[in-house]
Amino acid sequence: MARIAVIGAGMGAMATAARLAVAGHQVTVYERGTTYGGAVGRYERDGFAFDTGPGLLHLPAVYRDLFVKTGKRPLEDCVELVQVDPAVRHVLADATVVTLPNASRGGAAAVLDQTFGAGAGERWSAVLGRARDAWDATRRPLLEEPLRPDWQALGGDPYPALRKSGLLRRRPPTLAEVADRELGGPLAQLLTARVGAYGLDPATAPASAAVLPYMEQTFGSWYVRGGIRALATAVYERCLERKVAFVFGAEVREVLARGGRAAGLLLADGTEAAADAVVCGVDPRQLPIAPSIPPVPGSPPARNTGLADWYTLFLALRGARPGDAVHRTLLDSVTVLRPDDPATRPDAEHEAVTVHAVVRSGSPAPSAEELLTTAARAVPGLRERLLWHELRTPGDIAEATGAVDGSVPAPALAGAGGRLLHPANTTALPGLYLAGGWAHPGGGLPHAGMTGALVAGLIVEGADFRGSR
């Protein structure tokens, strides 16, 4: 039985800890903050409650697998999963409103034909069909297997239209260019908005980014009753059931190395925690590495360029949530979430609304007033109903999670020469592993959860591990 030290109590770190504990290892999680969940936090005020991180879950199979592999009670016995239907309402720049059903290719095509004219649904389905081909081609190497030493093979864009259309032969087209060519007009905005909501810039993202809306349409969008924070609580409780130890308020100063491999942690209070292996579940750029340790690997690029700044506005509204309200509305790079959940509000005569804005790193920050103006396009009578609002900035994210500059990582994608890949789960220092959204296969709830299976497999099976099954 090995001693495993895990840095951070985010979703990927806890998923790793639970799997390692089931394998018989002695696991201790060291978290600099006072609670678990990382970016999946909770903000409460005056009887209102808001998720500070993601508001929806895609690919719930990742967490179903985690719960099946780590205990007797399945995921649905620990949290209540609710399919969000309709999946999303788009409010386009010209004020066109498009409401798409959840996990229904035919239903989406019918809505698009009705909104944009005959043939629009067929064009949309064709794009997502090509995205399915890209998904099938890269799913295992990008999501289910450790990053291969020849990771450069993932630098080519698998979106098949590249080989068929001859579009911009001198270079692969971007997602925005594919949307404009293959969808055109306002219909193209549906594709670019869905990709932009992940923190990616459609103008520079590869065409393979179309796998993200494909994933949503195929596997659906899910809400966890009580908020996504309830999922974090369920994973934390599963860790406790598996005898994982948590030490909160434990800031890590260094990863210790002895004999050429990771040997434990040096905490900020001077305490040393010996370990046979160390899992870094936080942004590795924030982790002070002892000078004798080689840097966290630089191939693929140690700093994934798919970074964005996230601004979140919490809105407390008077008045009941209207019956025709939808859970998620997209207005270009702004997402408005209106969950129909009594756990988020003091009573039925109030409503809690969350507004997420994605801003490319280095771009001007949106003000609360600007976000209110945008949100009012999705919530009629917003200003008249507003009791109070509170803005959460990247600085708040940095303080809560330690992420450098408060940036949020995007999911890994093939294409763009490997620019949107993340560092491998193994590092240049034997015994030191990377988990969570800052490691392969990248950010987002499903991808962070996948790192748990990958890192646990690498530690338990070693170099022979070829990926999750």
Side-chain angles (χ1 to χ4, degrees):
M1 180 176 66
R3 297 166 299 172
I4 312 293
V6 178
I7 305 171
M11 297 299 283
M14 291 195 296
T16 307
R19 289 179 181 272
L20 288 171
V22 167
H25 296 299
Q26 179 184 332
V27 185
T28 303
V29 176
Y30 297 88
E31 165 58 47
R32 65 189 287 275
T34 59
T35 188
Y36 53 85
V40 184
R42 191 80 160 161
Y43 177 76
E44 298 182 359
R45 174 180 163 186
D46 300 339
F48 293 89
F50 307 85
D51 282 316
T52 60
L56 291 174
L57 174 64
H58 305 294
L59 280 180
V62 173
Y63 288 91
R64 289 190 178 113
D65 181 72
L66 171 66
F67 277 73
V68 165
K69 300 290 178 56
T70 59
K72 296 180 179 179
R73 291 193 303 151
L75 176 63
E76 279 82 356
D77 281 1
C78 301
V79 297
E80 182 182 354
L81 288 177
V82 181
Q83 271 199 313
V84 174
D85 201 7
V88 60
R89 174 172 290 166
H90 291 266
V91 179
L92 306 184
D94 64 359
T96 298
V97 176
V98 186
T99 304
L100 298 178
N102 195 9
S104 174
R105 176 175 176 173
V111 168
L112 297 178
D113 279 343
Q114 183 178 7
T115 305
F116 299 106
E122 183 178 357
R123 297 201 304 276
W124 175 264
S125 295
V127 168
L128 293 198
R130 287 187 278 276
R132 178 195 59 217
D133 293 342
W135 169 271
D136 291 341
T138 59
R139 178 177 56 86
R140 279 203 61 79
L142 196 62
L143 302 178
E144 298 174 0
E145 298 175 348
L147 196 64
R148 297 170 178 172
D150 64 340
W151 58 268
Q152 292 87 346
L154 289 170
D157 196 320
Y159 187 79
L162 303 184
R163 296 190 292 272
K164 296 178 181 178
S165 69
L167 174 64
L168 300 175
R169 292 179 183 276
R170 290 175 294 178
R171 62 167 175 80
T174 65
L175 186 282
E177 289 166 340
V178 166
D180 184 60
R181 177 187 174 94
E182 300 183 19
L183 297 174
L187 182 58
Q189 295 177 37
L190 272 63
L191 188 67
T192 56
R194 295 281 275 275
V195 169
Y198 284 85
L200 295 162
D201 183 355
T204 59
S208 65
V211 301
L212 299 173
Y214 162 78
M215 178 183 70
E216 288 188 18
Q217 180 169 291
T218 302
F219 304 107
S221 299
W222 300 77
Y223 177 68
V224 179
R225 188 70 68 188
I228 296 295
R229 176 64 177 177
L231 177 63
T233 298
V235 176
Y236 172 67
E237 291 176 347
R238 177 54 54 90
C239 285
L240 295 181
E241 291 172 8
R242 306 315 304 181
K243 309 303 182 186
V244 174
F246 285 79
V247 183
F248 294 104
E251 184 175 353
V252 174
R253 180 179 297 170
E254 289 181 1
V255 174
L256 301 175
R258 296 188 178 96
R261 63 173 293 112
L265 304 175
L266 175 64
L267 304 181
D269 64 3
T271 302
E272 290 191 10
D276 301 299
V278 173
V279 177
C280 176
V282 299
D283 181 351
R285 295 175 298 155
Q286 79 185 59
L287 182 63
I289 303 292
S292 61
I293 298 178
V296 172
S299 57
R303 180 179 174 88
N304 173 288
T305 56
L307 295 176
D309 294 333
W310 293 75
Y311 293 81
T312 303
L313 188 67
F314 303 129
L315 305 178
L317 305 184
R318 63 171 63 87
R321 180 183 185 271
D324 61 351
V326 300
H327 191 114
R328 176 173 59 153
T329 300
L330 281 182
L331 307 99
D332 192 20
S333 61
V334 175
T335 302
V336 177
L337 298 175
R338 306 177 70 182
D340 185 9
D341 187 351
T344 66
R345 56 190 185 241
D347 54 49
E349 296 306 314
H350 294 84
E351 182 182 4
V353 175
T354 302
V355 182
H356 291 294
V358 180
V359 178
R360 316 302 166 208
S361 293
S363 299
S367 67
E369 179 61 28
E370 290 171 329
L371 293 180
L372 278 171
T373 298
T374 301
R377 295 168 56 201
V379 184
L382 171 64
R383 292 186 181 276
E384 293 77 13
R385 297 178 58 198
L386 185 64
L387 291 172
W388 53 262
H389 65 269
E390 187 156 334
L391 181 65
R392 180 180 170 88
T393 69
D396 297 314
I397 297 175
E399 182 178 355
T401 68
V404 176
D405 300 326
S407 296
V408 176
L413 289 174
R419 175 173 55 84
L420 293 174
L421 298 176
H422 291 256
N425 306 109
T426 53
T427 71
L429 177 68
L432 175 61
Y433 301 85
L434 302 183
W438 294 96
H440 174 74
L445 278 173
H447 294 71
M450 291 172 190
T451 66
L454 294 176
V455 174
L458 288 165
I459 292 176
V460 173
E461 299 184 29
D464 294 332
F465 180 62
R466 292 293 180 267
S468 55
R469 301 294 178 184

